[in-house]
Structures are given as structure tokens and as C-alpha cells.
Amino acid sequence: AALFDGAVPPILPLTIDAEGILSRISFTEAKPTLAKVVEGGFHLGMRARLCCKLFSAKTGRTHIIYALNDVVLDRGPSPFLTSVECFCNDRLVTLVQGDGLILATPTGSTAYSQAAGGSMVHPSVPCILFTPLNPHSLSFRPIVLPVSVRVKLQLTKGARSPAWVSFDGRQRQPLDQGDTLTVNISQWPVPVISLVGATDDWLEGCNAFLSRMVTEYVTRLRLRPAL
């Protein structure tokens, strides 16, 4: 998803894990699946991606990065809490003090955001997930924002250390004093090919993922020695 600044060609996702949520097609079935796709028997779903504009106060330049899953802002190696101002459409919404926050697409809602307490969202739902990481406030809960929102993040003047930002787990870099990170939904989504339909594919993946968690938990209980 990060390779294309404009329109993205249709993508056939494959999984190396039997419990994949993005795709239920194993990489070992790539050739026969591709043959079915060429014959015209497939469904096409549109996955939103994030357009991230990172402005550097030091260089005066803006770097544009695209992410399919999420943008993660964290405190990095610093022992201090992050202190970040969050704006929605240039209006101050909240002050993030904690380990950081996650901005995720519906596709990324089943990854880090879900592990941090965010909702699992169907990829057809147009939204941006705003999920805090260990917030230093009992009132700060995950938020689901509309796709029309433009989120801007910047350090507070009293921040004791820079924050760190990564995009789909890559291109990790610091967010220093005076820098800004602006995130909105890209006008160019990612067309994803599936064989059974986007909804059925996603629900089947969620079922396998959640069932695996229950199975692993029950297995650990059975292996636990009696007191």
C-alpha cells in the first residue's frame, strides 16, 4: 500500500498463517487462486489507507507516507510519558499523556489497535480508530472518528522527550518539538481481491482468530498442574 502515491492496482493478499484475517487464501494456493481470478471469479473490496504528512521543523520539509493498517506514536526508549496535543480538523480534542496512541484503519483494527483495547471494525465501515496506549487518565477511551476528520499530532511545549512514529511497523522516526504529523484517509483506497466476498471473508477470519484464542486458553488450562 505504501508503494503507490495515487491509484492502487487490485491486490491479491495471501496468508502464511491459517488464521489470517486480511486474507483466507494460503500462499500455497497462490497459483490456482490466481487462475480463478484471471477467469473472472472474484470479489473486489476497497480497503481504506492512511495518508500521513510528517512535517519537520528542522528541515522545513513534509514527508508523505501511506499506511494500510496503522500509525503508531509511542515514547520510544524514553522513560517519560509522551505528551502530545491531538487536533481534529484544527480543533484541539485532547492531550495524550501515556505510552502513546494508535491511529488505525478498519483493516488495522484487528492488529495492534485491537490488542490495545480498540474495537474490531469491518473494513467496509468508513472510519479512523483513535486508540490510546496505556493512557495516564481513566477518562481517555478509544474513539472511532469519521473519515472526513483530519487528525494532527504535535508535542506539547512541556514535553520532556521526543515521541517516535512508525507507519505499518516501518519507517520509524522521531517526532521532535515543532514537528507535526497530520493523518487523514487517502482518496485512493486499496482494492483487495477475495473469492467469497469481503464480508464473508472477514467474518470467517475473525471466527478463526477468536476461536484460536479460546482454544489456546483452554489448552493452557488443561496443561496447568493441579494444586
Side-chain angles (χ1 to χ4, degrees):
L3 296 177
F4 304 93
D5 294 333
V8 182
I11 294 175
L12 176 63
L14 304 173
T15 178
I16 58 175
D17 189 338
E19 284 77 28
I21 295 181
L22 178 60
S23 175
R24 300 294 297 158
I25 305 172
S26 172
F27 75 98
T28 58
E29 302 173 355
K31 289 185 178 180
T33 301
L34 189 58
K36 293 180 181 179
V37 171
V38 172
E39 293 172 0
F42 65 92
H43 299 264
L44 195 63
M46 308 303 287
R47 300 293 184 104
R49 61 175 179 162
L50 300 174
C51 176
C52 313
K53 298 178 181 179
L54 183 60
F55 170 76
S56 172
K58 184 177 181 180
T59 63
R61 296 180 179 180
T62 299
H63 185 35
I64 300 178
I65 306 171
Y66 293 91
L68 177 63
N69 292 304
D70 52 38
V71 177
V72 178
L73 182 147
D74 61 72
R75 63 182 184 175
S78 171
F80 305 114
L81 299 177
T82 59
S83 184
V84 178
E85 295 175 333
C86 301
F87 297 83
C88 287
N89 294 340
D90 297 323
R91 179 176 180 178
L92 181 63
V93 174
T94 188
L95 173 66
V96 176
Q97 288 186 313
D99 285 348
L101 63 95
I102 303 169
L103 293 175
T105 64
T107 299
S109 69
T110 56
Y112 195 2
S113 176
Q114 182 265 335
S119 299
M120 297 175 67
V121 180
H122 188 279
S124 297
V125 177
C127 66
I128 300 176
L129 287 84
F130 189 105
T131 308
L133 291 173
N134 297 325
H136 193 58
S137 171
L138 295 177
S139 61
F140 194 172
R141 306 260 65 85
I143 305 171
V144 179
L145 302 170
V147 291
S148 59
V149 164
R150 182 180 68 257
V151 180
K152 184 174 74 172
L153 307 175
Q154 63 185 34
L155 294 180
T156 64
K157 293 182 179 180
R160 303 175 67 181
S161 64
W164 288 80
V165 187
S166 60
F167 308 86
D168 280 347
R170 301 189 300 270
Q171 302 188 49
R172 185 171 170 82
Q173 49 198 291
L175 184 72
D176 293 311
Q177 197 66 250
D179 296 350
T180 59
L181 175 64
T182 306
V183 180
N184 61 276
I185 292 293
S186 170
Q187 62 176 323
W188 303 106
V190 179
V192 175
I193 296 172
S194 64
L195 298 181
V196 297
T199 297
D200 292 339
D201 210 23
W202 187 80
L203 291 176
E204 185 180 346
C206 287
N207 179 266
F209 173 71
L210 296 174
S211 297
R212 180 184 62 176
M213 294 177 62
V214 174
T215 301
E216 291 178 350
Y217 177 71
V218 172
T219 301
R220 287 197 299 269
L221 287 179
R222 290 176 179 174
L223 295 177
R224 183 178 298 174
L227 297 179

